[in-house]
Amino acid sequence: MKRRGKSISGLFLRFAVLFCINTAVILLGGMLLLMGAARTGFVLPANYTETRLTDRMPEIKAAGDFPDRWLPDGAAYGIYSQEGDLRAGNFDNKESEAAWDHYKNGNTYASAGNYYRFIKQDNGNICIVKYDLYMKYSRAELNEILPAPEILSFVVDGILIILNVVFLSRHFAGRLNRELGKLEKITEKIAENNLEFETSPSDIREISQVMGSFCRMKDALKASLTQQWDMERQKQEQLASLTHDIKTPLTIIKGNAELLAESPLSRENKECADYILSNAGDIERYLGRIKEVLNGSPGGGEVHRLSCSRLGAILHEAALQVAAAEKLPAAFDVRLMEGEIDCCPENILRAWKNILSNAAEYTDKKRGIEVSVRLRDREDHKFLEAVVRDYGPGFSPRDLKYADQEFYSGDASRHNREHQGLGLAIARNFLKEQGGWLELGNHSGGAEVRCWISVLPLEQRGESDLIRDL
């Protein structure tokens, strides 16, 4: 990785130098090729017509009105009297007038590389010949199908220069792509968490430096992941040990509660014993779920079809238990509802209890909590809406934005150092699994949490599985 290599600027400079050298070779080669064609007679020089006119001057002077045989191919002419009348030739009317005007003015340049030659014949007439100074092919048929040799040379040179740019660009782009491919392979391996690989040095200095940075990042990431994996393993071991340790006191609590339930009790004490047994059963199921998760199982609960009224009764019963345990007054508005819901009752109940516990902790102990469960229409669909209101400090603007995020600690109004910021996050995740969502807000006296659970459309409803023992 410490190999010096070449810089990208050096590569571009090399590209520019090679382009200039190749371009000069192409232009020089085209020029030499054109000169060689002229020396071999394949191409006639640009002054060929002018030289022929000079060589045949005596014959043209003595030819009178018929100098055609002595004029070079491609030359136009006109025979004029002393007064400027056109006597013979192949000029059209417009060209005839232009040629005579040039003669009177002594101007031999016509236009676009064409020139005039003024020849006074022996009989006193004026022969005006128009010719060009362009190279031509020695074979007349080539002059008709091909552009002039100079133009053809420029076209060929232009094509060769374009090909030069394309080939050089592809060559240097291919080299850069090969080096960048090494970086891409490194990023792919890092993205796959494959950190056991070696890197080869690059011939380009800047890419080699980036590869060095990637290597340092890989080593740092590897150390961080190793530390994180060790911490996760320790947490799993501690959680597994704690789960095992909880079973003993839970068994004792459940056994004593069962003994109490079998003995003569007052109605209130009997109700308390039933609450203890019911929640002890919940704890046993939670411990079993934790064990499944630790063993790598998804741990999802079984989905049942419940009537909305049955689910409302389950939520009502859970709210009664929490209010009784916290010795809080509670107001209920739980209605009989039509419709059915496909859900995991256990997960719904866990989410609901998290919300109730959160409300019970922050509410005014004298005013308690309010619970309502009803059907609501929203976005052309029917939902079961379960609402918990407390009379505490309510949610701050920051709480409303982040309170259902994992490990959110918030401000002092509704959070303290003893909380892990998981209650509302767990509730949100469970509701999302059931096709619903969590909605946080405030009412005039405190905080308000709404749970939305999707109700089955009428065409999907069937016989309800009314679960009586959770």
Side-chain angles (χ1 to χ4, degrees):
M1 298 301 297
K2 295 181 179 179
R3 195 165 124 192
R4 182 171 178 79
K6 303 178 180 65
S7 66
I8 293 179
S9 60
L11 284 178
F12 281 114
L13 180 60
R14 184 180 177 189
F15 169 83
V17 170
L18 284 177
F19 171 76
C20 293
I21 293 174
N22 291 348
T23 301
V25 170
I26 290 171
L27 295 176
L28 182 60
M31 187 182 302
L32 293 175
L33 185 62
L34 198 60
M35 292 174 60
R39 291 180 65 88
T40 59
F42 180 75
V43 171
L44 301 177
N47 63 346
Y48 173 77
T49 302
E50 189 176 49
T51 303
R52 291 292 299 275
L53 284 174
T54 301
D55 293 342
R56 296 180 178 181
M57 189 73 70
E59 289 82 357
I60 297 173
K61 287 182 179 182
D65 293 344
F66 306 98
D68 305 67
R69 58 176 296 192
W70 307 109
L71 295 177
D73 294 337
Y77 75 98
I79 305 296
Y80 296 84
S81 65
Q82 293 287 342
E83 291 76 21
D85 298 325
L86 181 65
R87 296 171 55 85
N90 53 14
F91 284 156
D92 58 26
N93 291 334
K94 185 176 180 180
E95 183 60 40
S96 173
E97 294 177 0
W100 184 252
D101 289 339
H102 278 74
Y103 169 72
K104 289 192 299 183
N105 296 325
N107 183 9
T108 60
Y109 178 71
S111 62
N114 293 298
Y115 294 85
Y116 290 113
R117 174 67 68 88
F118 309 124
I119 303 172
K120 190 171 183 179
Q121 294 183 313
D122 295 340
N123 58 9
N125 292 333
I126 307 300
C127 177
I128 302 177
V129 181
K130 185 178 181 182
Y131 62 95
D132 58 53
L133 289 178
Y134 291 115
M135 298 183 74
K136 298 181 179 61
Y137 303 101
S138 57
R139 297 179 61 179
E141 59 270 19
L142 294 179
N143 291 316
E144 296 177 0
I145 62 176
L146 293 177
E150 299 101 320
I151 297 176
L152 182 61
S153 176
F154 290 145
V155 171
V156 172
D157 287 346
I159 293 174
L160 292 176
I161 290 173
I162 292 174
L163 291 177
N164 177 39
V165 173
V166 171
F167 288 135
L168 286 177
S169 299
R170 289 173 65 91
H171 171 72
F172 283 96
R175 183 168 181 182
L176 280 176
N177 286 336
R178 285 193 298 272
E179 300 300 327
L180 291 174
K182 298 178 181 179
L183 290 178
E184 186 176 2
K185 289 180 181 178
I186 292 176
T187 56
E188 288 176 354
K189 290 179 179 179
I190 293 177
E192 296 169 356
N193 285 332
N194 177 14
L195 306 179
E196 300 294 336
F197 63 88
E198 297 295 332
T199 57
S200 57
S202 171
D203 292 333
I204 300 177
R205 189 186 312 153
E206 289 83 356
I207 294 180
S208 187
Q209 292 172 353
V210 174
M211 290 176 69
S213 299
F214 274 131
C215 288
R216 291 189 291 274
M217 182 182 70
K218 176 200 73 169
D219 295 337
L221 180 60
K222 182 178 179 181
S224 175
L225 287 177
T226 301
Q227 183 180 7
Q228 183 179 350
W229 292 332
D230 290 340
M231 291 175 62
E232 290 295 331
R233 187 177 66 254
Q234 291 175 6
K235 285 182 180 179
Q236 288 188 357
E237 292 173 353
Q238 292 171 358
L239 189 57
S241 177
L242 181 61
T243 302
H244 182 270
D245 293 342
I246 290 175
K247 287 184 178 181
T248 301
L250 179 62
T251 302
I252 295 173
I253 292 172
K254 187 175 180 181
N256 283 279
E258 290 173 347
L259 290 175
L260 285 174
E262 293 174 358
S263 60
L265 296 173
S266 65
R267 185 180 63 83
E268 291 182 356
N269 290 339
K270 176 67 173 175
E271 188 176 283
C272 290
D274 291 340
Y275 285 164
I276 293 172
L277 288 173
S278 174
N279 285 276
D282 289 341
I283 295 174
E284 283 185 332
R285 285 191 291 272
Y286 296 160
L287 291 175
R289 187 62 48 80
I290 292 173
K291 185 176 180 180
E292 290 176 357
V293 173
L294 291 176
N295 291 333
S297 301
E302 185 178 355
V303 175
H304 297 273
R305 179 163 293 186
L306 294 175
S307 68
C308 293
S309 293
R310 176 58 180 160
L311 182 58
I314 292 172
L315 300 180
H316 182 202
E317 180 67 19
L320 280 173
Q321 292 182 16
V322 171
E326 297 290 339
K327 298 182 175 58
L328 294 174
F332 296 96
D333 181 12
V334 181
R335 305 181 183 183
L336 292 176
M337 298 166 285
E338 295 182 355
E340 297 175 343
I341 294 175
D342 280 345
C343 67
C344 172
E346 182 180 346
N347 287 349
I348 290 288
L349 192 58
R350 289 171 66 185
W352 181 244
K353 285 186 175 180
N354 272 308
I355 295 170
L356 291 169
S357 298
N358 197 60
E361 180 175 355
Y362 295 110
T363 191
D364 183 339
K365 304 304 179 183
K366 294 181 180 180
R367 302 183 68 179
I369 60 174
E370 294 181 5
V371 175
S372 68
V373 183
R374 66 185 69 188
L375 291 181
R376 293 281 298 274
D377 290 324
R378 184 165 177 173
E379 298 176 357
D380 299 326
H381 190 75
K382 194 171 291 294
F383 291 88
L384 185 147
E385 181 199 46
V387 184
V388 179
R389 297 185 181 91
D390 66 43
Y391 291 90
F395 292 114
S396 70
R398 180 176 173 82
D399 289 337
L400 292 175
K401 189 173 182 180
Y402 299 110
D404 61 351
Q405 303 298 313
E406 288 82 354
F407 306 112
Y408 172 71
S409 59
D411 55 30
S413 62
R414 293 186 64 87
H415 297 82
N416 58 52
R417 298 290 183 182
E418 298 177 358
H419 282 262
Q420 303 301 317
L422 292 173
L424 292 178
I426 292 172
R428 179 203 64 195
N429 292 336
F430 283 147
L431 289 172
K432 187 176 180 181
E433 290 175 0
Q434 310 305 139
W437 68 89
L438 192 67
E439 193 172 86
L440 308 180
N442 292 312
H443 66 100
S444 58
E448 179 179 82
V449 179
R450 296 176 181 268
C451 303
W452 296 83
I453 305 171
S454 178
V455 177
L456 288 173
L458 184 62
E459 60 271 13
Q460 295 184 18
R461 298 176 189 174
E463 183 179 353
S464 297
D465 179 13
L466 302 181
I467 298 178
R468 302 183 180 278
D469 184 16
L470 294 177

